[in-house]
Amino acid sequence: MLDYRFCDRTITLYRLENGKVQRLVVEGCYYFWETKVVKDLSGTRRDTKFLLIMPGANQRVFVGDRVMEGVGPYITEQEWPGFVPSEITGLGQVAYVRPTWWDGSVTHVEAGNK
């Protein structure tokens, strides 16, 4: 049996759908966020990555969604263009979504940006 005892975080998902910003607060998730300063030949940059695990068979996160830990603010359609990870600390954009199966059914969905 899978163990979800570490899925104790709240996250907020954002999605632009039909010209409207959709906001969904989800409790009972695992969310790991990491920021590193990377120095290379092109200079210094900030590299962030995250992993989100959402227990349950319902997929509520999709590629392109933006995710923030905790109960995030309401965002208007006018604010959406500036509501991007490069401008908002703690905000990530989902690059992949992977349902995880166990014994013939989906048990959780993993999402991240790397």
Side-chain angles (χ1 to χ4, degrees):
M1 194 64 164
L2 298 174
D3 183 358
Y4 293 107
R5 68 179 150 199
F6 296 112
C7 294
D8 59 356
R9 304 285 174 107
T10 299
I11 56 104
T12 304
L13 293 172
Y14 298 91
R15 169 180 315 127
L16 187 63
E17 200 167 63
N18 299 322
K20 300 283 184 193
V21 176
Q22 304 295 322
R23 176 181 173 269
L24 176 64
V25 176
V26 182
E27 296 178 344
C29 299
Y30 174 83
Y31 188 67
F32 174 78
W33 174 272
E34 180 180 55
T35 300
K36 291 182 188 178
V37 174
V38 178
K39 294 181 182 181
D40 57 21
L41 295 176
S42 64
T44 302
R45 62 183 170 80
R46 184 178 59 142
D47 183 43
T48 60
K49 62 182 174 180
F50 69 87
L51 171 65
L52 169 64
I53 297 174
M54 299 175 69
N58 295 332
Q59 182 174 336
R60 294 172 282 175
V61 60
F62 299 91
V63 171
D65 286 357
R66 296 175 189 169
V67 61
M68 177 180 281
E69 185 171 15
V71 178
Y74 286 93
I75 302 299
T76 66
E77 290 72 31
Q78 293 77 26
E79 295 171 309
W80 184 255
F83 190 66
V84 292
S86 61
E87 298 295 322
I88 309 294
T89 302
L91 181 68
Q93 185 156 333
V94 176
Y96 73 89
V97 177
R98 184 179 308 126
T100 301
W101 294 75
W102 180 272
D103 199 26
S105 62
V106 174
T107 59
H108 68 268
V109 175
E110 296 177 13
N113 66 337
K114 299 279 183 187

